[in-house]
Amino acid sequence: MPAVHHKLLLEEALQDSPQTRSLLSVFEEDAGTLTNYTNQLLQSMQRVFGAQNEMALATEQLSKQLLDYEKQNFALAKGDEEVINTLQHFAKSVEELNSLHVELASQIADKMVFPMVQFREKDLTEISTLKEIFGIASDEHEAAMVKYSRLPKKRENEKIKAEVVREVAYCRRKQHQAAMQYYCALNALQYRKRVAMLEPMLGYTHAQINFFKKGMELVSKKMDSFLSSVSSMNQSIESQLEVEAEVMRSSQRELLSVDDTVYMPDHDQVPVNRALIQKAGYLNIRNKTGLVTTAWDRLFFFTQGGNLMCQPRGAVAGGMVLDLDNSSVMAIECEDRRYCFQITSPNGKTSLILQAESKKEYEEWICTLNNISRQIYLTDNPEAVAIRLHQTALQAVTPITSFEKRAEGSPNPDRAKPGAVTSREPQKPPTTLEPEDLIVPGTPIQFDIVLPASEFLDQNRAGARRTNPFGETEEDDGASDTHDSLLQQVFAVRFLGSMAVRAGHTQDVIYEAMRQVLAARAIHNIFKTTESHLMVTSSCIRLIDPQTQVTKISFQLKDVTQFAAHQENSRLMGFVLQGSDWSDGGEDQPSFSVFVFESNTEGEKICYTINLGKEISEAKKDPEALVQLMKSMPLTNDGKFLLLESETGDEAEAAGPDEQESEA
């Protein structure tokens, strides 16, 4: 007799994943089908028991019912072929003995009807009761997790938190015990249903043989070996059930002997793995239920390729929530909840706010989604690439304290050492610059621009004028370069970082600075950024605080030597700023710095505006060139350059047909 091929694993009862729930629904469907079939089969047996005068008709109905076992389409029917063949053989025997049946009320009641009634009242009723207990335990666990998720972060009460954690652990342990009992009963049912199908028919056939000695003299010779094989099959199934039951009891004892910290959230002892390219687990998702009201739902999320998937409980498969390619992930503060992070699509139109259960899950989710957004999963060995990128990012932000070590790591050590003699043989110029040629290893990175308090007070004193992000200024008698500027354009950006570089006239240095800034943020878990307004005029670039309208930092447009948008992530852009370095022997040496920003729109638009500002600045030196430039570009009513496309559709509609000014 083959063993049962499908069973519920007790090790997965604690996680309670949608995959386990989906498999559980298959077992429940099988149990429901078995219940319906058992009731039908029992009705047929009772008809045989009661219909003494219609015994022939009753046995014919029983034969048909036995043949219907094959047509029941059990969800877990694999391995029942021998049972089906045996029942078909019994059906044929019953049909042959149809003419010999007489009143067998007492024998049929003891050997055929009673085992089936006992199976229905004992085994199937137990399944129904355990299902209700498991449902109640699951609901209590969900309620406890909701209470735990609502624990405040700012005003944290250790006593209340400890009580809620104990409640979650108690409910989780209760659900775990109920789930394992329910799983054991469903697994055992796969064996008991076979015994329940075979044992009544075996007793019924023996009753017929004993009652009709003369009639069975010929028939018994054909059926002795068959009945012996059925008895052996029945004993084999029962022995398998005993072995499986002992294994399940042993597994249950072993799984319940773990420490209570297994049931407690936010008690992870395993270190964070930052090189993952796949992740799955429960997260709370923030959904809008009205104009100003929100609700949090606990769902099972997992990654598949470059997509974030979600699978509700009871669903056979998951559905795609968001395409993660080139998306951005950052930690946020949301409704006084812990471990919240936000995923934003590349175009900025779609965003999700999620909450992890623990700090480890929170950090692993952010790192995994960042790895997927880089499309590492498309490589031949994504795990190795993720580990290598993680190590490279560590090296990119690890400072080098020795000049000799830096020279050793340089592709041209002789050039790095003072007074070194170079070879006289001509060498071919390199086609691509190495990172050491662009940025000195160990260069510090500035992640935020903080306005000093003294400068903030100076800009807000009486008589000072704030910059309006929409290109307008307050009335003031003093002259201002923004007031006289022919170009004023504002973009919503987030400052990511800046660092000193070696070269200032190649776009490769901007791309390398972007890589090191993003790598440093990922390594040091710096995901939080502040939105600012980047104003581009024909003379300067200003970074403005959108709330106070105070200029954080200003750059002269003539000092910008290079600017470029990221080749893959169109929302990233940066520019190179040239300055003066007086530290080397008192001589004015040029120094370069790269500033990296993330825009709500395409970075190419900002680059286009900067390029236009430099053209206007150069054209101002030649009146004829300025006239030609103004003729070639559309202007607004007040004589400023009109850019072709608006940044947002809502602003364009609100401005009217004559006031739709925005960046190209």
Side-chain angles (χ1 to χ4, degrees):
M1 180 67 187
V4 175
H5 296 272
H6 299 279
K7 67 177 182 178
L8 292 166
L9 300 179
L10 300 182
E11 294 80 2
E12 297 178 358
L14 178 58
Q15 185 182 8
D16 195 22
S17 64
Q19 290 80 2
T20 306
R21 286 285 185 137
S22 179
L23 181 60
L24 177 62
S25 65
V26 175
F27 276 79
E28 291 176 344
E29 179 184 356
D30 185 83
T33 305
L34 179 62
T35 301
N36 296 333
Y37 176 76
T38 300
N39 293 332
Q40 295 174 2
L41 184 60
L42 183 59
Q43 290 177 1
S44 299
M45 293 180 177
Q46 289 174 343
R47 185 175 180 181
V48 173
F49 170 73
Q52 299 179 6
N53 297 327
E54 299 179 358
M55 185 60 65
L57 182 61
T59 52
E60 183 181 359
Q61 181 65 24
L62 176 61
S63 176
K64 293 180 179 180
Q65 196 64 47
L66 293 175
L67 294 175
D68 287 343
Y69 181 83
E70 184 181 7
K71 304 176 183 179
Q72 293 303 309
N73 294 325
F74 288 110
L76 304 175
K78 187 176 180 180
D80 284 351
E81 289 79 7
E82 293 194 29
V83 176
I84 293 174
N85 295 332
T86 305
L87 292 179
Q88 290 177 350
H89 197 165
F90 274 123
K92 294 180 181 179
S93 300
V94 171
E95 186 177 0
E96 293 177 358
L97 297 174
N98 185 39
S99 60
L100 301 177
H101 284 163
V102 291
E103 183 178 1
L104 301 174
S106 59
Q107 296 181 2
I108 293 175
D110 295 336
K111 298 182 179 180
M112 185 175 66
V113 179
F114 178 73
M116 186 57 63
V117 172
Q118 189 178 21
F119 170 73
R120 185 185 67 173
E121 298 299 328
K122 179 181 178 182
D123 299 321
L124 297 181
T125 304
E126 180 186 11
I127 294 295
S128 177
T129 304
L130 292 176
K131 180 180 180 180
E132 294 178 1
I133 296 174
F134 175 70
I136 294 173
S138 298
D139 294 340
E140 291 177 354
H141 175 253
E142 287 297 320
M145 286 304 305
V146 170
K147 186 183 297 184
Y148 170 77
S149 299
R150 292 176 179 173
L151 284 176
K153 178 181 178 182
K154 296 180 179 179
R155 299 179 180 179
E156 185 172 336
N157 190 321
E158 294 295 331
K159 182 177 180 181
I160 297 178
K161 179 182 177 181
E163 293 177 358
V164 173
V165 168
R166 286 195 296 271
E167 183 179 354
V168 171
Y170 170 76
C171 294
R172 187 169 289 179
R173 187 182 186 93
K174 182 178 178 181
Q175 184 196 20
H176 191 196
Q177 293 176 342
M180 286 192 291
Q181 293 178 358
Y182 189 30
Y183 291 0
C184 291
L186 288 175
N187 290 338
L189 185 63
Q190 300 305 312
Y191 295 92
R192 289 180 177 137
K193 79 174 182 180
R194 300 183 181 186
V195 177
M197 296 298 109
L198 301 178
E199 184 179 1
M201 294 311 306
L202 184 63
Y204 172 75
T205 307
H206 279 303
Q208 292 283 26
I209 294 175
N210 294 331
F211 189 81
F212 297 105
K213 292 181 179 180
K214 293 182 179 181
M216 293 300 295
E217 287 180 356
L218 298 176
V219 180
S220 61
K221 295 180 181 179
K222 301 178 182 179
M223 299 189 65
D224 280 342
S225 59
F226 171 69
L227 294 178
S228 300
S229 64
V230 173
S231 299
S232 301
M233 184 189 304
N234 198 16
Q235 294 176 359
S236 175
I237 295 174
E238 290 181 348
S239 62
Q240 291 178 14
L241 173 59
E242 288 297 327
V243 173
E244 185 66 24
E246 181 60 30
V247 171
M248 290 188 292
R249 285 192 293 267
S250 177
S251 299
Q252 186 174 358
R253 289 191 299 267
E254 181 180 355
L255 294 174
L256 289 176
S257 63
V258 297
D259 192 73
D260 290 340
T261 56
V262 176
Y263 301 96
M264 295 181 181
D266 206 8
H267 280 75
D268 300 306
Q269 299 178 355
V270 182
V272 178
N273 187 355
R274 304 184 187 278
L276 295 175
I277 58 171
Q278 290 182 346
K279 184 69 177 173
Y282 280 100
L283 294 172
N284 292 334
I285 182 171
R286 181 174 179 262
N287 297 319
K288 287 188 176 181
T289 57
L291 294 177
V292 294
T293 58
T294 58
W296 293 81
D297 298 324
R298 187 168 181 261
L299 301 175
F300 188 85
F301 288 85
F302 62 96
T303 59
Q304 185 174 12
N307 300 324
L308 178 64
M309 313 291 288
C310 176
Q311 184 174 358
R313 287 189 177 181
V316 179
M320 190 182 79
V321 179
L322 186 66
D323 186 358
L324 297 174
D325 289 345
N326 296 324
S327 62
S328 61
V329 186
M330 65 180 66
I332 61 170
E333 298 288 340
C334 184
E335 298 183 7
D336 196 22
R337 286 181 173 238
R338 299 178 298 174
Y339 312 136
C340 293
F341 58 95
Q342 178 175 315
I343 310 173
T344 306
S345 61
N347 57 14
K349 296 181 179 180
T350 305
S351 62
L352 297 176
I353 297 179
L354 303 171
Q355 180 189 17
E357 182 176 317
S358 63
K359 184 177 181 180
K360 173 179 175 294
E361 291 291 311
Y362 161 79
E363 295 182 1
E364 284 190 350
W365 270 107
I366 291 179
C367 294
T368 302
L369 297 178
N370 274 320
N371 291 337
I372 295 176
S373 68
R374 301 176 185 177
Q375 300 182 352
I376 297 176
Y377 63 94
L378 297 178
T379 59
D380 295 334
N381 192 353
E383 290 81 3
V385 174
I387 295 174
R388 186 167 63 253
L389 286 178
H390 178 63
Q391 294 175 348
T392 304
L394 280 173
Q395 296 172 359
V397 299
T398 302
I400 299 179
T401 58
S402 172
F403 184 84
E404 287 75 17
K405 291 182 179 180
R406 185 195 314 165
E408 292 174 2
S410 175
N412 190 357
D414 294 336
R415 182 193 62 191
K417 296 180 181 179
V421 179
T422 58
S423 175
R424 295 182 179 179
E425 297 181 0
Q427 297 181 356
K428 296 182 180 179
T431 57
T432 58
L433 296 176
E434 296 295 332
E436 292 82 357
D437 298 324
L438 303 175
I439 302 174
V440 177
T443 300
I445 300 175
Q446 180 179 353
F447 294 111
D448 197 3
I449 298 176
V450 181
L451 187 66
S454 60
E455 186 175 346
F456 178 81
L457 294 176
D458 291 340
Q459 295 193 32
N460 287 275
R461 286 173 182 167
R465 181 175 60 186
R466 297 184 182 181
T467 303
N468 192 307
F470 300 100
E472 302 174 357
T473 55
E474 299 177 2
E475 294 299 331
D476 190 7
D477 297 336
S480 174
D481 56 348
T482 59
H483 183 71
D484 297 335
S485 178
L486 295 176
L487 173 67
Q488 291 182 11
Q489 186 62 36
V490 177
F491 302 91
V493 299
R494 285 171 294 278
F495 177 71
L496 298 181
S498 64
M499 61 190 308
V501 297
R502 283 178 169 175
H505 299 281
T506 174
Q507 292 184 350
D508 292 337
V509 71
I510 300 178
Y511 301 144
E512 178 62 21
M514 289 179 179
R515 186 191 71 81
Q516 293 198 18
V517 168
L518 295 178
R521 281 183 169 270
I523 293 302
H524 297 297
N525 290 332
I526 305 175
F527 302 108
K528 190 175 182 180
T529 57
T530 304
E531 184 171 299
S532 303
H533 288 166
L534 186 71
M535 174 182 285
V536 182
T537 69
S538 58
S539 59
C540 66
I541 300 176
R542 293 184 177 182
L543 192 65
I544 303 171
D545 189 332
Q547 297 180 354
T548 62
Q549 299 304 318
V550 172
T551 301
K552 293 184 177 180
I553 192 170
S554 178
F555 314 104
Q556 293 299 317
L557 204 59
K558 61 183 179 62
D559 295 333
V560 177
T561 61
Q562 277 291 339
F563 47 88
H566 198 275
Q567 297 172 337
E568 297 179 358
N569 190 347
S570 60
R571 297 199 306 160
L572 292 180
M573 67 83 54
F575 57 82
V576 182
L577 187 71
Q578 181 176 350
S580 298
D581 186 4
W582 299 85
S583 60
D584 189 7
E587 297 181 359
D588 184 5
Q589 299 292 333
S591 63
F592 302 96
S593 300
V594 174
F595 291 79
V596 182
F597 297 89
E598 181 184 21
S599 172
N600 289 346
T601 59
E602 294 182 1
E604 290 289 347
K605 295 183 179 181
I606 303 179
C607 295
Y608 171 81
T609 307
I610 296 176
N611 183 62
L612 180 59
K614 295 179 75 67
E615 290 182 0
I616 296 172
S617 179
E618 291 295 328
K620 283 182 179 181
K621 302 176 182 178
D622 186 0
E624 294 182 0
L626 180 60
V627 171
Q628 294 296 330
L629 180 61
M630 295 180 70
K631 287 182 179 181
S632 63
M633 295 290 293
L635 303 177
T636 62
N637 295 332
D638 55 356
K640 296 180 181 180
F641 282 88
L642 173 65
L643 301 184
L644 301 181
E645 298 178 2
S646 61
E647 183 173 350
T648 58
D650 297 339
E651 294 176 359
E653 294 176 1
D658 298 334
E659 300 178 2
Q660 295 183 1
E661 293 187 46
S662 183
E663 77 279 6

